[in-house]
Amino acid sequence: MSDIKIGITLYCFTREYCRGEFTLEDCIRVAKEIGSEGYEIVAAQMIPSYPYVSDRFLGEIRAMSEYYDIKPICYSANMDRGLRRDRNLTEDEMLERAILDVKSANRLGCKVMREQFLLSPAAMVRLAPYAEAYDVKVGIEIHNPETPYTPIMREYYEAFQKTGSDYLGFVPDFGMFATRPNKPHWDTALAQGGLEKHLEMARELKYKDVPQEEAMAKLREAGAAESVLVAAQGMYNFVQFRKDCSRELEGLKEIMPYCFHMHGKFHYLSEELEEASIPYDEILPVVQNSDYKGFIVSEYEDHESGRALEMTTRHMNMMKHFFQR
């Protein structure tokens, strides 16, 4: 039987935080006000001493946790192999950074850490004893365009099975289940002079898995505006989608025993609380009908709109309505 909690990642407020409109305390306060039961902190973005956690920062977090009655539940680590100018970091060097992140997550009281797939399956296996020692579960994020069935994720899955460790697993991002184009990108293309028929053409080309270069050539031949071409580039890259996500949902069911944290990605919710691109009505029942025990954190990703608070509140309300909070 599932035991699902609802939270948010403070990444939702990236624009507001980076512009100085929200302090870290504002982000935490708002998270509580809109109904979050816990929050994920993006370490490289919001911890001044990252990758370390200073005594001062720890004291501030503890004070805010007590005052607002909400705690950090996931430490979102950053894996950057390009830290040196002369070469990429080696696997040993990246593992060393991951161990440091595990220690920092433990220091903040987070029981979960989100890791990125630049850390190899072999390195994750080597990380397991540290995760166990510091009582921090480490999950590789499965982010669009990756799915549970892409080769690298199968490598992780097989590695986790071999270790038998309860401290290694996945953080699925719901963006990988998208079945329709990104609405903010679509609307931007229209606002900049693009035609609906060309966007629809781009959508159909993607549904038919026409290769990107061929699709772009067809759109140019049809006279598509530059804004449409930009939107089409997005359809083939960071915000991919497919006509049906049933196979990906079957993949989620398979890896569910290795999932202990999830990102409820969203780009736009209507006033009726429906996500424009991601079929939550198909995803949430899969999670609810499993043995999943952990958080689904709202993760907003259309920062330039300036509507983070509005959209995150809608997403939180949608989640609470589904789970009858």
Side-chain angles (χ1 to χ4, degrees), residues 132-148:
E132 293 167 7
Y134 285 92
D135 193 24
V136 176
K137 294 184 177 183
V138 182
I140 289 291
E141 183 176 15
I142 309 180
H143 192 289
N144 191 354
E146 302 295 335
T147 77

Side-chain angles (χ1 to χ4, degrees), residues 156-165 254 258:
Y156 283 113
Y157 183 57
E158 292 166 6
F160 298 161
Q161 287 181 308
K162 289 178 182 177
T163 65
S165 175
E254 181 182 4
Y258 295 91

Side-chain angles (χ1 to χ4, degrees), residues 162-308:
K162 289 178 182 177
T163 65
S165 175
D166 293 332
Y167 282 79
L168 299 181
F170 295 104
V171 176
D173 181 296
F174 290 176
M176 67 176 163
F177 302 115
T179 55
R180 295 177 295 275
N182 178 282
K183 178 174 170 55
H185 291 187
W186 186 286
D187 291 345
T188 296
L190 290 175
Q192 294 177 351
L195 298 181
E196 191 101 35
K197 67 176 184 179
H198 290 146
L199 286 165
E200 291 171 349
M201 178 181 175
R203 179 190 62 201
E204 294 307 311
L205 289 168
K206 181 66 178 67
Y207 277 149
K208 294 175 182 178
D209 290 325
V210 174
Q212 181 176 345
E213 289 188 11
E214 183 181 342
M216 299 303 289
K218 288 180 179 293
L219 288 167
R220 290 190 181 95
E221 289 173 7
E226 185 64 26
S227 62
V228 172
L229 298 178
V230 171
Q233 289 278 1
M235 295 179 190
Y236 278 86
N237 293 284
F238 197 65
V239 287
Q240 293 187 26
F241 57 92
R242 51 188 59 80
K243 206 160 195 174
D244 178 79
C245 67
S246 57
R247 184 169 186 269
E248 288 67 35
L249 288 173
E250 287 302 313
L252 178 62
K253 293 177 185 177
E254 181 182 4
I255 66 170
M256 193 66 79
Y258 295 91
C259 296
F260 36 73
H261 189 71
M262 296 186 179
H263 283 169
K265 176 64 59 62
F266 63 104
H267 303 96
Y268 178 87
L269 267 82
S270 67
E271 293 182 1
E272 293 73 35
L273 305 183
E274 295 179 359
E275 218 293 330
S277 305
I278 301 168
Y280 272 82
D281 59 336
E282 298 180 47
I283 302 166
L284 293 182
V286 170
V287 182
Q288 186 178 45
N289 294 328
S290 73
D291 292 326
Y292 178 71
K293 294 176 175 59
F295 274 82
I296 300 176
V297 295
S298 300
E299 186 180 41
Y300 181 55
E301 202 162 76
D302 182 34
H303 303 301
E304 286 306 309
S305 73
R307 302 178 69 182

Side-chain angles (χ1 to χ4, degrees), residues 93-118:
E93 289 168 331
M94 288 191 283
L95 175 60
E96 183 178 350
R97 289 189 61 82
I99 293 170
L100 178 57
D101 283 324
V102 166
K103 292 178 179 179
S104 293
N106 169 270
R107 189 162 161 77
L108 279 177
C110 296
K111 296 295 186 180
V112 173
M113 183 177 102
R114 187 281 325 244
E115 185 57 86
Q116 296 170 310
F117 74 85
L118 285 174

Side-chain angles (χ1 to χ4, degrees), residues 49 81 197:
S49 54
R81 65 184 176 190
K197 67 176 184 179

